[in-house]
Amino acid sequence: MNSLFPTPADFLRVLPVLILTLFGTLLMLLEPLTGDGKGEKPQLRWLAILGLALAMAGAVIAYGDPGPAFNGMLLVDGFGTFFTVLVAGTGLLTVFCAQDYLVRERQENGEFYALLLFSIAGQCIMATANELIILFVGLEISSISSYILAGFLRDDKRSSESALKYFLLGSFATCFLLYGVAWIYGLTGSTNLSVIHYTLGAAPVNPRLLALSVALMFVGFAFKVSAAPFQIWAPDVYQGAPSPVSAFLSAAPKATAFAIFLRVFMTAFGSVADQWQPLFWTSALATMVVGNFAALRQNNIKRLLAYSSIAHAGYVMVAVTSHSTVGTAAAMFYLASYAFVNVGAFAVVSYVAAKGEKHLSIDDFAGLAERQPLAALVMTIFFTSLIGVPLTAGFFGKFYIFKAALDAGMVWLTVLGLLNSAVAAYYYLRVIVVMYTHEPSQAVNDLEPASSGLQIGWVTAATATVVLGVLPSALLEFASRAALLR
Amino acid sequence: MLPNAVPVSWYLVLSAILFSLGVAGFLIRRNIITVFMCIELMLNAVNLSFVAFSYELKKIDGQLFTFFVMVVAAAEAAVGLAIILTIFRHRMSLEIDDVSSLKN
């Protein structure tokens, strides 16, 4: 079984990664040969869309023959496939939502799409990694591309500052993660998640050193998912990065960071759950409180969405804390619904913000419903989903998370989480009220109609939000089956 | 094994000290390049741990991991220095406290 050379089955199981890498490279090669001189490169845009669509198809094909690949380095299972399809889909949506922005800023070029595809390729590796070093490599492929994307407008002061903060704190977090990996390797003699699981279950290791290494890895992961007390980078990074990039960063890398978080703690550290659960409990609560209460005071819409994304990371942490199959399925469903909503919401923000991202205060959204009804309608759908109103995906997401928490006997965390969602309703409703009842602002009056690509992005995200809110069962059933991580 | 060889635990302690120095430097130092060097120091402390564990466990894979870490560190350095360069072009300063234009 331990063959020296990869078999064709191995390559089939990494099909999405191969497709994404191939298309990313193609995009870079074709970059100098395309363009109409006006800063628009529709050929490259369509090539990126094709690559992402093929990657989604590739993930489904790979799932036709699930199992380990490359001597157990990767594991293609329902869980990994779920996140692979999710990140490729998020990327697809990002491309549609980014095109207006990129053309406006004269930044549509091959590098943007190539970096996006490379970042997603890294996330696909993360989603299917079954080995700590491969997980680290995937995480870094994803992160390094994301650092560059955050600073993509290199002549913009805000964008480069965002990139610097993301880069420094991201690498800092990776060091903690890696130090934790080193100690786990030292304690168990392996970096394979299944082997670690058996070793920890079979022979007792030094409990203090084990706690130390688990804590180090927790710090690394908590940074990546912006869980308190390691959330400080998120508002600055999401505010300074170009809006479509903020949309992508708050959806795809976060979803896969949670995926590895779940996989590592449910499989490798599953047998010592009673030790790490209090840590997660505290962090989940702190994340919800910090995110929601800080969001109340924000006037910058991107900062508001950043704090809201911290709060939502807190809800997912509740699901992780419950340490059950139900909790994992709830987290998966929540992350999927959240990805659509957030990419959509940031797409509306990038539309209203106009050239140079000038109009970012909440007052700039005044009267959006009167001038641009479609933009206001989809924004309302996204924000009601973020609140968790019934008939939107956010409602079922929250419902299943708190159900999982109750099943695990965490009554207090559930109560405090629900109180937090009530607080959150205020700042989301504030934006909706401003859009519908106030007189149109100058920013809104000057808006050009949205391009068809952007409208496709909005409508797709909004439709997905409503469909998941009305018929959640199909996705949830798949998640429940995939959540059996063993 | 050589007689009087340095015990593995010493390497681990050294690695922990280097890692802590990196963390402290990251939090205290105000020059962006120095902060970046502290990250590199932390990564190298991890490498030392990997090699020490690899020796202790009599397994070769720990030494292999250091190559992965080194490659990633190199890629990170390339991107990081480019980002620091754009920061310098905008602000003509490498003080981390000057990088604070993002606020509510």
Side-chain angles (χ1 to χ4, degrees), chain A residues 13-53:
Chain A
R13 284 176 189 151
V14 288
L15 197 56
V17 181
L18 294 179
I19 293 172
L20 287 168
T21 318
L22 178 73
F23 274 81
T25 317
L26 256 180
L27 280 163
M28 288 202 298
L29 286 174
L30 293 176
E31 151 69 27
L33 308 174
T34 48
D36 55 359
K38 284 182 295 188
E40 242 183 291
K41 299 201 167 173
Q43 307 94 327
L44 295 184
R45 188 191 310 150
W46 285 106
L47 193 63
I49 290 173
L50 179 68
L52 287 163

mmCIF file of all heavy atoms in Angstrom, chain A residues 13-53:
data_model
loop_
_atom_site.group_PDB
_atom_site.id
_atom_site.type_symbol
_atom_site.label_atom_id
_atom_site.label_comp_id
_atom_site.label_asym_id
_atom_site.label_seq_id
_atom_site.Cartn_x
_atom_site.Cartn_y
_atom_site.Cartn_z
ATOM 1 N N ARG A 13 -7.597 12.145 -6.910
ATOM 2 C CA ARG A 13 -8.136 12.705 -5.667
ATOM 3 C C ARG A 13 -7.670 14.135 -5.409
ATOM 4 O O ARG A 13 -8.238 14.806 -4.567
ATOM 5 C CB ARG A 13 -7.763 11.786 -4.493
ATOM 6 C CG ARG A 13 -8.633 10.546 -4.491
ATOM 7 C CD ARG A 13 -8.267 9.546 -3.442
ATOM 8 N NE ARG A 13 -9.034 8.329 -3.684
ATOM 9 C CZ ARG A 13 -8.644 7.108 -3.372
ATOM 10 N NH1 ARG A 13 -7.476 6.936 -2.781
ATOM 11 N NH2 ARG A 13 -9.394 6.080 -3.623
ATOM 12 N N VAL A 14 -6.630 14.585 -6.086
ATOM 13 C CA VAL A 14 -6.248 16.005 -5.957
ATOM 14 C C VAL A 14 -6.627 16.777 -7.211
ATOM 15 O O VAL A 14 -6.055 17.818 -7.496
ATOM 16 C CB VAL A 14 -4.745 16.208 -5.659
ATOM 17 C CG1 VAL A 14 -4.422 15.795 -4.262
ATOM 18 C CG2 VAL A 14 -3.876 15.526 -6.674
ATOM 19 N N LEU A 15 -7.609 16.268 -7.953
ATOM 20 C CA LEU A 15 -7.997 16.888 -9.215
ATOM 21 C C LEU A 15 -8.295 18.384 -9.075
ATOM 22 O O LEU A 15 -7.789 19.188 -9.872
ATOM 23 C CB LEU A 15 -9.201 16.137 -9.790
ATOM 24 C CG LEU A 15 -9.492 16.379 -11.260
ATOM 25 C CD1 LEU A 15 -8.282 16.049 -12.113
ATOM 26 C CD2 LEU A 15 -10.681 15.539 -11.713
ATOM 27 N N PRO A 16 -9.087 18.821 -8.055
ATOM 28 C CA PRO A 16 -9.369 20.260 -7.969
ATOM 29 C C PRO A 16 -8.094 21.093 -7.844
ATOM 30 O O PRO A 16 -7.963 22.148 -8.489
ATOM 31 C CB PRO A 16 -10.225 20.398 -6.717
ATOM 32 C CG PRO A 16 -10.621 19.054 -6.308
ATOM 33 C CD PRO A 16 -9.781 18.059 -7.014
ATOM 34 N N VAL A 17 -7.141 20.621 -7.040
ATOM 35 C CA VAL A 17 -5.898 21.375 -6.845
ATOM 36 C C VAL A 17 -5.124 21.452 -8.164
ATOM 37 O O VAL A 17 -4.595 22.510 -8.531
ATOM 38 C CB VAL A 17 -5.037 20.712 -5.747
ATOM 39 C CG1 VAL A 17 -3.770 21.499 -5.531
ATOM 40 C CG2 VAL A 17 -5.820 20.584 -4.469
ATOM 41 N N LEU A 18 -5.079 20.329 -8.890
ATOM 42 C CA LEU A 18 -4.355 20.321 -10.164
ATOM 43 C C LEU A 18 -4.993 21.301 -11.138
ATOM 44 O O LEU A 18 -4.289 22.086 -11.792
ATOM 45 C CB LEU A 18 -4.371 18.907 -10.762
ATOM 46 C CG LEU A 18 -3.619 17.833 -9.994
ATOM 47 C CD1 LEU A 18 -3.749 16.491 -10.689
ATOM 48 C CD2 LEU A 18 -2.152 18.204 -9.867
ATOM 49 N N ILE A 19 -6.329 21.289 -11.214
ATOM 50 C CA ILE A 19 -7.017 22.183 -12.153
ATOM 51 C C ILE A 19 -6.740 23.637 -11.788
ATOM 52 O O ILE A 19 -6.402 24.461 -12.653
ATOM 53 C CB ILE A 19 -8.534 21.896 -12.143
ATOM 54 C CG1 ILE A 19 -8.808 20.516 -12.709
ATOM 55 C CG2 ILE A 19 -9.286 22.961 -12.923
ATOM 56 C CD1 ILE A 19 -10.243 20.067 -12.580
ATOM 57 N N LEU A 20 -6.858 23.957 -10.514
ATOM 58 C CA LEU A 20 -6.680 25.347 -10.087
ATOM 59 C C LEU A 20 -5.260 25.822 -10.350
ATOM 60 O O LEU A 20 -5.034 26.940 -10.816
ATOM 61 C CB LEU A 20 -7.018 25.491 -8.607
ATOM 62 C CG LEU A 20 -8.500 25.410 -8.266
ATOM 63 C CD1 LEU A 20 -8.705 25.258 -6.768
ATOM 64 C CD2 LEU A 20 -9.216 26.648 -8.764
ATOM 65 N N THR A 21 -4.273 24.973 -10.065
ATOM 66 C CA THR A 21 -2.877 25.359 -10.291
ATOM 67 C C THR A 21 -2.626 25.562 -11.775
ATOM 68 O O THR A 21 -1.972 26.528 -12.188
ATOM 69 C CB THR A 21 -1.936 24.275 -9.743
ATOM 70 O OG1 THR A 21 -2.427 23.842 -8.490
ATOM 71 C CG2 THR A 21 -0.543 24.800 -9.580
ATOM 72 N N LEU A 22 -3.166 24.648 -12.589
ATOM 73 C CA LEU A 22 -2.988 24.752 -14.037
ATOM 74 C C LEU A 22 -3.582 26.052 -14.559
ATOM 75 O O LEU A 22 -2.937 26.804 -15.296
ATOM 76 C CB LEU A 22 -3.654 23.551 -14.712
ATOM 77 C CG LEU A 22 -3.580 23.546 -16.240
ATOM 78 C CD1 LEU A 22 -2.163 23.230 -16.679
ATOM 79 C CD2 LEU A 22 -4.550 22.545 -16.825
ATOM 80 N N PHE A 23 -4.810 26.359 -14.157
ATOM 81 C CA PHE A 23 -5.460 27.579 -14.652
ATOM 82 C C PHE A 23 -4.788 28.836 -14.098
ATOM 83 O O PHE A 23 -4.698 29.835 -14.800
ATOM 84 C CB PHE A 23 -6.958 27.565 -14.321
ATOM 85 C CG PHE A 23 -7.771 26.853 -15.355
ATOM 86 C CD1 PHE A 23 -7.862 25.473 -15.346
ATOM 87 C CD2 PHE A 23 -8.413 27.551 -16.356
ATOM 88 C CE1 PHE A 23 -8.588 24.804 -16.306
ATOM 89 C CE2 PHE A 23 -9.145 26.889 -17.322
ATOM 90 C CZ PHE A 23 -9.240 25.515 -17.297
ATOM 91 N N GLY A 24 -4.320 28.763 -12.848
ATOM 92 C CA GLY A 24 -3.604 29.908 -12.289
ATOM 93 C C GLY A 24 -2.361 30.217 -13.089
ATOM 94 O O GLY A 24 -2.072 31.370 -13.422
ATOM 95 N N THR A 25 -1.612 29.163 -13.437
ATOM 96 C CA THR A 25 -0.397 29.350 -14.228
ATOM 97 C C THR A 25 -0.732 29.877 -15.619
ATOM 98 O O THR A 25 -0.073 30.788 -16.136
ATOM 99 C CB THR A 25 0.360 28.005 -14.340
ATOM 100 O OG1 THR A 25 0.356 27.383 -13.062
ATOM 101 C CG2 THR A 25 1.769 28.210 -14.800
ATOM 102 N N LEU A 26 -1.792 29.303 -16.223
ATOM 103 C CA LEU A 26 -2.230 29.757 -17.546
ATOM 104 C C LEU A 26 -2.570 31.237 -17.531
ATOM 105 O O LEU A 26 -2.198 31.988 -18.433
ATOM 106 C CB LEU A 26 -3.483 28.981 -17.946
ATOM 107 C CG LEU A 26 -3.327 27.860 -18.970
ATOM 108 C CD1 LEU A 26 -4.674 27.222 -19.236
ATOM 109 C CD2 LEU A 26 -2.750 28.427 -20.255
ATOM 110 N N LEU A 27 -3.269 31.665 -16.459
ATOM 111 C CA LEU A 27 -3.672 33.063 -16.348
ATOM 112 C C LEU A 27 -2.458 33.973 -16.348
ATOM 113 O O LEU A 27 -2.444 35.027 -16.983
ATOM 114 C CB LEU A 27 -4.473 33.270 -15.066
ATOM 115 C CG LEU A 27 -5.936 32.852 -15.118
ATOM 116 C CD1 LEU A 27 -6.496 32.724 -13.720
ATOM 117 C CD2 LEU A 27 -6.724 33.866 -15.909
ATOM 118 N N MET A 28 -1.409 33.542 -15.626
ATOM 119 C CA MET A 28 -0.207 34.379 -15.567
ATOM 120 C C MET A 28 0.493 34.415 -16.914
ATOM 121 O O MET A 28 1.032 35.438 -17.327
ATOM 122 C CB MET A 28 0.733 33.857 -14.488
ATOM 123 C CG MET A 28 0.215 34.129 -13.090
ATOM 124 S SD MET A 28 1.503 34.113 -11.873
ATOM 125 C CE MET A 28 2.079 32.454 -11.999
ATOM 126 N N LEU A 29 0.497 33.259 -17.628
ATOM 127 C CA LEU A 29 1.167 33.209 -18.924
ATOM 128 C C LEU A 29 0.430 34.053 -19.954
ATOM 129 O O LEU A 29 1.049 34.705 -20.800
ATOM 130 C CB LEU A 29 1.233 31.755 -19.416
ATOM 131 C CG LEU A 29 2.234 30.851 -18.710
ATOM 132 C CD1 LEU A 29 2.093 29.423 -19.193
ATOM 133 C CD2 LEU A 29 3.652 31.348 -18.954
ATOM 134 N N LEU A 30 -0.911 34.060 -19.892
ATOM 135 C CA LEU A 30 -1.695 34.761 -20.903
ATOM 136 C C LEU A 30 -1.818 36.247 -20.605
ATOM 137 O O LEU A 30 -2.216 37.015 -21.469
ATOM 138 C CB LEU A 30 -3.086 34.134 -21.013
ATOM 139 C CG LEU A 30 -3.109 32.711 -21.561
ATOM 140 C CD1 LEU A 30 -4.501 32.153 -21.542
ATOM 141 C CD2 LEU A 30 -2.559 32.710 -22.986
ATOM 142 N N GLU A 31 -1.490 36.615 -19.372
ATOM 143 C CA GLU A 31 -1.660 38.012 -18.941
ATOM 144 C C GLU A 31 -1.069 39.031 -19.931
ATOM 145 O O GLU A 31 -1.747 39.970 -20.340
ATOM 146 C CB GLU A 31 -1.100 38.155 -17.528
ATOM 147 C CG GLU A 31 -0.537 39.498 -17.128
ATOM 148 C CD GLU A 31 -1.589 40.562 -16.996
ATOM 149 O OE1 GLU A 31 -2.747 40.231 -16.714
ATOM 150 O OE2 GLU A 31 -1.241 41.735 -17.194
ATOM 151 N N PRO A 32 0.203 38.863 -20.397
ATOM 152 C CA PRO A 32 0.749 39.896 -21.294
ATOM 153 C C PRO A 32 0.117 39.891 -22.679
ATOM 154 O O PRO A 32 0.286 40.837 -23.425
ATOM 155 C CB PRO A 32 2.243 39.549 -21.387
ATOM 156 C CG PRO A 32 2.458 38.317 -20.625
ATOM 157 C CD PRO A 32 1.178 37.823 -20.095
ATOM 158 N N LEU A 33 -0.587 38.816 -23.041
ATOM 159 C CA LEU A 33 -1.110 38.696 -24.411
ATOM 160 C C LEU A 33 -2.534 39.215 -24.544
ATOM 161 O O LEU A 33 -3.091 39.209 -25.629
ATOM 162 C CB LEU A 33 -1.086 37.218 -24.850
ATOM 163 C CG LEU A 33 0.244 36.492 -24.682
ATOM 164 C CD1 LEU A 33 0.098 35.027 -25.013
ATOM 165 C CD2 LEU A 33 1.303 37.140 -25.562
ATOM 166 N N THR A 34 -3.136 39.628 -23.425
ATOM 167 C CA THR A 34 -4.537 40.015 -23.497
ATOM 168 C C THR A 34 -4.709 41.472 -23.109
ATOM 169 O O THR A 34 -3.765 42.134 -22.694
ATOM 170 C CB THR A 34 -5.384 39.166 -22.533
ATOM 171 O OG1 THR A 34 -4.735 39.154 -21.270
ATOM 172 C CG2 THR A 34 -5.577 37.769 -23.041
ATOM 173 N N GLY A 35 -5.927 41.960 -23.235
ATOM 174 C CA GLY A 35 -6.234 43.327 -22.827
ATOM 175 C C GLY A 35 -6.583 44.177 -24.024
ATOM 176 O O GLY A 35 -6.015 44.022 -25.102
ATOM 177 N N ASP A 36 -7.522 45.096 -23.831
ATOM 178 C CA ASP A 36 -7.948 45.969 -24.916
ATOM 179 C C ASP A 36 -7.432 47.392 -24.712
ATOM 180 O O ASP A 36 -7.883 48.322 -25.356
ATOM 181 C CB ASP A 36 -9.472 45.964 -25.012
ATOM 182 C CG ASP A 36 -10.099 46.346 -23.685
ATOM 183 O OD1 ASP A 36 -9.338 46.590 -22.733
ATOM 184 O OD2 ASP A 36 -11.329 46.398 -23.597
ATOM 185 N N GLY A 37 -6.499 47.582 -23.768
ATOM 186 C CA GLY A 37 -5.946 48.904 -23.547
ATOM 187 C C GLY A 37 -6.771 49.766 -22.611
ATOM 188 O O GLY A 37 -6.348 50.831 -22.214
ATOM 189 N N LYS A 38 -7.982 49.308 -22.272
ATOM 190 C CA LYS A 38 -8.828 50.096 -21.383
ATOM 191 C C LYS A 38 -8.852 49.496 -19.970
ATOM 192 O O LYS A 38 -9.682 49.854 -19.152
ATOM 193 C CB LYS A 38 -10.251 50.164 -21.935
ATOM 194 C CG LYS A 38 -10.366 51.135 -23.109
ATOM 195 C CD LYS A 38 -11.798 51.230 -23.607
ATOM 196 C CE LYS A 38 -12.247 49.908 -24.191
ATOM 197 N NZ LYS A 38 -13.534 49.962 -24.866
ATOM 198 N N GLY A 39 -7.950 48.571 -19.725
ATOM 199 C CA GLY A 39 -7.881 47.982 -18.389
ATOM 200 C C GLY A 39 -8.863 46.850 -18.196
ATOM 201 O O GLY A 39 -8.985 46.322 -17.105
ATOM 202 N N GLU A 40 -9.563 46.457 -19.254
ATOM 203 C CA GLU A 40 -10.497 45.344 -19.092
ATOM 204 C C GLU A 40 -9.912 44.095 -19.716
ATOM 205 O O GLU A 40 -9.365 44.151 -20.818
ATOM 206 C CB GLU A 40 -11.825 45.669 -19.777
ATOM 207 C CG GLU A 40 -12.980 45.700 -18.807
ATOM 208 C CD GLU A 40 -14.295 45.946 -19.514
ATOM 209 O OE1 GLU A 40 -14.508 47.060 -20.014
ATOM 210 O OE2 GLU A 40 -15.095 45.020 -19.538
ATOM 211 N N LYS A 41 -10.016 42.983 -19.018
ATOM 212 C CA LYS A 41 -9.491 41.739 -19.570
ATOM 213 C C LYS A 41 -10.529 40.641 -19.431
ATOM 214 O O LYS A 41 -10.362 39.721 -18.634
ATOM 215 C CB LYS A 41 -8.188 41.353 -18.867
ATOM 216 C CG LYS A 41 -7.118 42.420 -19.053
ATOM 217 C CD LYS A 41 -5.736 41.904 -18.830
ATOM 218 C CE LYS A 41 -4.745 42.913 -19.349
ATOM 219 N NZ LYS A 41 -3.370 42.597 -19.044
ATOM 220 N N PRO A 42 -11.607 40.720 -20.208
ATOM 221 C CA PRO A 42 -12.682 39.739 -20.034
ATOM 222 C C PRO A 42 -12.238 38.314 -20.329
ATOM 223 O O PRO A 42 -12.741 37.370 -19.708
ATOM 224 C CB PRO A 42 -13.751 40.197 -21.032
ATOM 225 C CG PRO A 42 -13.085 41.140 -21.942
ATOM 226 C CD PRO A 42 -11.910 41.704 -21.230
ATOM 227 N N GLN A 43 -11.245 38.144 -21.240
ATOM 228 C CA GLN A 43 -10.817 36.765 -21.542
ATOM 229 C C GLN A 43 -10.289 36.083 -20.293
ATOM 230 O O GLN A 43 -10.599 34.918 -20.015
ATOM 231 C CB GLN A 43 -9.702 36.756 -22.599
ATOM 232 C CG GLN A 43 -10.003 37.515 -23.875
ATOM 233 C CD GLN A 43 -9.486 38.943 -23.805
ATOM 234 O OE1 GLN A 43 -9.454 39.578 -22.738
ATOM 235 N NE2 GLN A 43 -9.078 39.472 -24.953
ATOM 236 N N LEU A 44 -9.463 36.848 -19.530
ATOM 237 C CA LEU A 44 -8.874 36.256 -18.336
ATOM 238 C C LEU A 44 -9.954 35.976 -17.303
ATOM 239 O O LEU A 44 -9.919 34.966 -16.594
ATOM 240 C CB LEU A 44 -7.818 37.188 -17.748
ATOM 241 C CG LEU A 44 -6.600 37.423 -18.630
ATOM 242 C CD1 LEU A 44 -5.592 38.282 -17.904
ATOM 243 C CD2 LEU A 44 -5.968 36.113 -19.042
ATOM 244 N N ARG A 45 -10.942 36.894 -17.227
ATOM 245 C CA ARG A 45 -12.046 36.704 -16.286
ATOM 246 C C ARG A 45 -12.756 35.393 -16.583
ATOM 247 O O ARG A 45 -13.005 34.591 -15.689
ATOM 248 C CB ARG A 45 -12.996 37.886 -16.429
ATOM 249 C CG ARG A 45 -14.079 37.934 -15.391
ATOM 250 C CD ARG A 45 -15.110 38.976 -15.781
ATOM 251 N NE ARG A 45 -14.517 40.263 -16.116
ATOM 252 C CZ ARG A 45 -15.036 41.124 -16.991
ATOM 253 N NH1 ARG A 45 -16.163 40.831 -17.621
ATOM 254 N NH2 ARG A 45 -14.444 42.270 -17.232
ATOM 255 N N TRP A 46 -13.041 35.168 -17.875
ATOM 256 C CA TRP A 46 -13.766 33.939 -18.228
ATOM 257 C C TRP A 46 -12.906 32.708 -18.019
ATOM 258 O O TRP A 46 -13.420 31.642 -17.655
ATOM 259 C CB TRP A 46 -14.286 34.025 -19.664
ATOM 260 C CG TRP A 46 -15.456 34.940 -19.728
ATOM 261 C CD1 TRP A 46 -15.500 36.194 -20.241
ATOM 262 C CD2 TRP A 46 -16.758 34.701 -19.158
ATOM 263 N NE1 TRP A 46 -16.736 36.753 -20.040
ATOM 264 C CE2 TRP A 46 -17.529 35.864 -19.383
ATOM 265 C CE3 TRP A 46 -17.336 33.627 -18.485
ATOM 266 C CZ2 TRP A 46 -18.849 35.976 -18.954
ATOM 267 C CZ3 TRP A 46 -18.648 33.734 -18.060
ATOM 268 C CH2 TRP A 46 -19.397 34.904 -18.296
ATOM 269 N N LEU A 47 -11.597 32.856 -18.221
ATOM 270 C CA LEU A 47 -10.703 31.716 -17.983
ATOM 271 C C LEU A 47 -10.720 31.354 -16.494
ATOM 272 O O LEU A 47 -10.771 30.170 -16.130
ATOM 273 C CB LEU A 47 -9.283 32.085 -18.421
ATOM 274 C CG LEU A 47 -8.303 30.931 -18.541
ATOM 275 C CD1 LEU A 47 -8.758 29.963 -19.605
ATOM 276 C CD2 LEU A 47 -6.910 31.453 -18.891
ATOM 277 N N ALA A 48 -10.718 32.391 -15.637
ATOM 278 C CA ALA A 48 -10.764 32.129 -14.198
ATOM 279 C C ALA A 48 -12.077 31.454 -13.825
ATOM 280 O O ALA A 48 -12.114 30.501 -13.025
ATOM 281 C CB ALA A 48 -10.603 33.433 -13.420
ATOM 282 N N ILE A 49 -13.181 31.947 -14.419
ATOM 283 C CA ILE A 49 -14.489 31.348 -14.124
ATOM 284 C C ILE A 49 -14.495 29.891 -14.556
ATOM 285 O O ILE A 49 -14.951 29.003 -13.818
ATOM 286 C CB ILE A 49 -15.602 32.156 -14.829
ATOM 287 C CG1 ILE A 49 -15.744 33.513 -14.140
ATOM 288 C CG2 ILE A 49 -16.924 31.402 -14.814
ATOM 289 C CD1 ILE A 49 -16.671 34.466 -14.830
ATOM 290 N N LEU A 50 -13.945 29.629 -15.750
ATOM 291 C CA LEU A 50 -13.891 28.253 -16.245
ATOM 292 C C LEU A 50 -13.080 27.376 -15.294
ATOM 293 O O LEU A 50 -13.495 26.266 -14.939
ATOM 294 C CB LEU A 50 -13.274 28.246 -17.648
ATOM 295 C CG LEU A 50 -13.114 26.876 -18.299
ATOM 296 C CD1 LEU A 50 -14.468 26.283 -18.617
ATOM 297 C CD2 LEU A 50 -12.280 26.978 -19.579
ATOM 298 N N GLY A 51 -11.910 27.896 -14.866
ATOM 299 C CA GLY A 51 -11.061 27.119 -13.969
ATOM 300 C C GLY A 51 -11.766 26.780 -12.672
ATOM 301 O O GLY A 51 -11.715 25.636 -12.199
ATOM 302 N N LEU A 52 -12.472 27.759 -12.108
ATOM 303 C CA LEU A 52 -13.148 27.518 -10.832
ATOM 304 C C LEU A 52 -14.313 26.542 -11.004
ATOM 305 O O LEU A 52 -14.525 25.658 -10.161
ATOM 306 C CB LEU A 52 -13.651 28.846 -10.258
ATOM 307 C CG LEU A 52 -12.537 29.723 -9.704
ATOM 308 C CD1 LEU A 52 -12.998 31.155 -9.531
ATOM 309 C CD2 LEU A 52 -12.042 29.167 -8.378
ATOM 310 N N ALA A 53 -15.040 26.680 -12.128
ATOM 311 C CA ALA A 53 -16.158 25.764 -12.368
ATOM 312 C C ALA A 53 -15.635 24.344 -12.551
ATOM 313 O O ALA A 53 -16.198 23.377 -12.006
ATOM 314 C CB ALA A 53 -16.955 26.210 -13.589
#
